[in-house]
DNA sequence: CTGAAAGCGCTTACAG
DNA sequence: CTGAAAGCGCTTACAG
């Protein structure tokens, strides 16, 4: 049988209120009764019923995660599991639990959010991605419910977010290639509505124009997915008209796809770079230069921001930038 | 403001009890009041407070997932994300939510389980792996709390589990190799305390002896992890004394590591096989034969079993075998 | 068919 | 410093 506060009270010869106060470490309880109650608490292996507690406190200490199960394959991407771990590790340390829900589309996403909010299930929501003009972010803002986003939102007003500096990471990467002598660099991206897609593209453009190179929009290809096939298709399109010496992509899987095309066509000496530093089991032919985004750090930080807010902690910043790292595997 | 059953009752001019009964679709309510109440329910956008409901029903409709965050790297393995998805998809369809917790070791694992159980947070627990003489399974059995396991437990008495037929999958794979003319086949496994490790090893041994080959224990290597480095080390050990024509492994990452060693040593024409059919971005040098285990199906099925039990459904079987598929990429 | 009452296991203002 | 009481938002046996 589960033991309740009443059982403890009876055994310790005090009232339930007193037991509750001892548990809450209320300062007005005498050391003597504190000790006595603590003893029976131990003896009976008492554990508070969090559901009852939630009902009165109106807090569940649960964070809800909305995972888009879309066809862009983004969340089959290996980095994602590290995000989950990062979130959980911070949350557990601070007494929060994590709940997750897959949703197939925007409609379902909104539905689950309503459910999370109005059934009183969660105290806050974590979003795993930010789109341009993001309908979910708007919705959450309108509902005025605590949430935090992985990815810099378009309009950052009063919203909590965590991200890499995608602009800077791509900017530096392109600079790195230029320093190696590359003058003709193409760009392959996934769906452009993701904010990180936009930021990486900006970094690419800016790096080129800062050195006086002309940005040729025909060398910029966006595909509908973040997968190997999309990379393959994009690379094919580029080489129909051009022969760049390097291609930057916004995701390792795109890079792998591009590589596949080059290999099939027996095109050599083109440098391909990716993003996310996905494990490629390096025994295989060759690995690519990539940007390590510290997925676990992203998860950890987003949980940190949201929990700080839920505890009404003073925050200096409404966002955290997680450092990236250029993993150089260029052939030179 | 959140709207409660009282608000609805007042507006619809009935008692709270009646509103509750309408929501529960109690047959003794007249169609007329049913209609009336449903209308105001809609108008006020009423959503039940699941916490309050849980307090009286003593059910939360939440399933708890314990994820070992051990150093064997097993749960950084890509197949794992598909398991999560499978669990969630079935659960959501049936009105359950999923909560997950990482735990560093057995002690933490037990702690979190106690918390899940005695704080009344979850209705059932899902375990992602079964060990030989598994202390967590024992513990859960002793607590007599509903749970289900991915992986066949050593003692299946009255416990719910889901698994591939690991014995059969490996048995058939080795047979397949033998049919291709291989006579000298070595074995590389990860930690042997996992039940699937044992089953796969048995399949290997049985396939050999069924054909009259002698099983040589020196050609069976177990390493402490399921990662590339472990595979590399194991392969090195094997080739110190032998030169098998094929090596079967219990995980693709082990296979990749073995492959790496062979490549470095310039050893050709050794067939390596894996398990899990991890994506290798096939543009790379060559892909390996592997067993697809249908990770999503494993997750889906384990949720199915556990939820059936929680709803006291009649069960014909206390387990589900998820079909595997040999993905043949052998060079012949 | 419907309502008033009790209760799920806690917390907390009120009173002493 | 401690207890009795009310209340969080539901469900459900009891009564009519």
């Amino acid at each position: 049988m589960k033991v309740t506060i009443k059982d403890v009270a009876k055994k310790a010869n005090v009232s339930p209120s007193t037991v509750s106060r001892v548990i809450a470490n209320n300062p007005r309880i005498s050391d003597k009764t504190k000790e006595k109650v603590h003893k029976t608490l131990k003896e009976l292996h008492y554990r508070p019923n969090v559901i009852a507690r939630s009902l009165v406190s109106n807090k569940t200490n649960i964070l809800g995660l909305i995972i888009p199960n879309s066809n862009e394959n983004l969340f089959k991407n290996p980095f994602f599991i590290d995000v989950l771990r990062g979130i959980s590790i911070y949350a557990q340390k601070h007494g929060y639990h994590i709940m997750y829900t897959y949703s197939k589309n925007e409609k379902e996403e909104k539905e689950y959010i309503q459910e999370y909010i109005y059934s009183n299930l969660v105290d806050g929501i974590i979003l795993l991605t930010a789109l341009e003009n993001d309908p979910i972010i708007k919705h959450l803002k309108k509902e005025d419910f605590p949430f935090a986003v992985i990815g810099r939102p378009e309009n950052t007003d009063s919203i909590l977010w965590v991200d890499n500096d995608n602009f800077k990471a791509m900017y530096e990467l392109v600079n790195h290639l230029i320093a190696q002598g590359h003058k003709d660099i193409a760009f392959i991206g996934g769906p452009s509505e993701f904010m990180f897609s936009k930021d990486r593209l900006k970094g690419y453009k800016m790096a080129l124009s800062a050195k006086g190179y002309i940005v040729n929009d025909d060398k910029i290809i966006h595909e509908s997915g973040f997968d190997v096939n999309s990379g393959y298709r994009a690379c094919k399109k580029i080489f129909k008209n051009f022969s760049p010496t390097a291609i930057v992509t916004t995701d390792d899987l795109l890079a792998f796809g591009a590589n596949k095309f080059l290999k099939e066509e027996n095109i050599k000496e083109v440098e391909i770079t990716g993003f996310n530093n996905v494990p490629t089991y390096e025994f295989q032919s060759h690995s690519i230069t990539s940007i390590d985004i510290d997925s676990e750090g992203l998860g950890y930080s987003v949980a940190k921001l949201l929990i700080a807010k839920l505890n009404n902690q003073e925050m200096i910043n409404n966002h955290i930038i997680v450092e990236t790292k250029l993993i150089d595997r260029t052939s030179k």
Side-chain angles (χ1 to χ4, degrees), chain A residues 137 141 147-149 151 153 155-161 305 318-319:
Chain A
I137 292 182
K141 242 179 139 166
F147 73 102
V149 190
N155 182 346
T156 59
D157 265 14
S158 77
I159 101 163
L160 304 175
W161 59 278
L305 274 185
N318 68 334
H319 69 274

Side-chain angles (χ1 to χ4, degrees), chain A residues 63-67 84 87 98-102 116 126 128:
Chain A
L63 266 27
L65 216 59
I66 303 283
I67 309 177
L84 280 194
I87 292 175
I98 306 293
M99 195 168 259
Y100 70 89
T101 309
Y102 277 91
Y116 270 162
I126 294 177
L128 295 175

Side-chain angles (χ1 to χ4, degrees), chain A residues 114-163:
Chain A
Q114 294 304 99
E115 157 130 12
Y116 270 162
I117 298 180
Y118 288 99
S119 66
N120 268 14
L121 243 186
V122 306
D123 293 344
I125 290 179
I126 294 177
L127 259 28
L128 295 175
T129 170
L131 301 181
E132 181 179 27
N133 193 15
D134 197 309
I136 301 300
I137 292 182
K138 264 191 194 156
H139 183 242
L140 240 15
K141 242 179 139 166
K142 213 180 84 200
E143 292 285 352
D144 198 23
F145 193 77
F147 73 102
V149 190
I150 297 186
R152 184 178 58 79
E154 202 174 0
N155 182 346
T156 59
D157 265 14
S158 77
I159 101 163
L160 304 175
W161 59 278
V162 159
D163 206 350

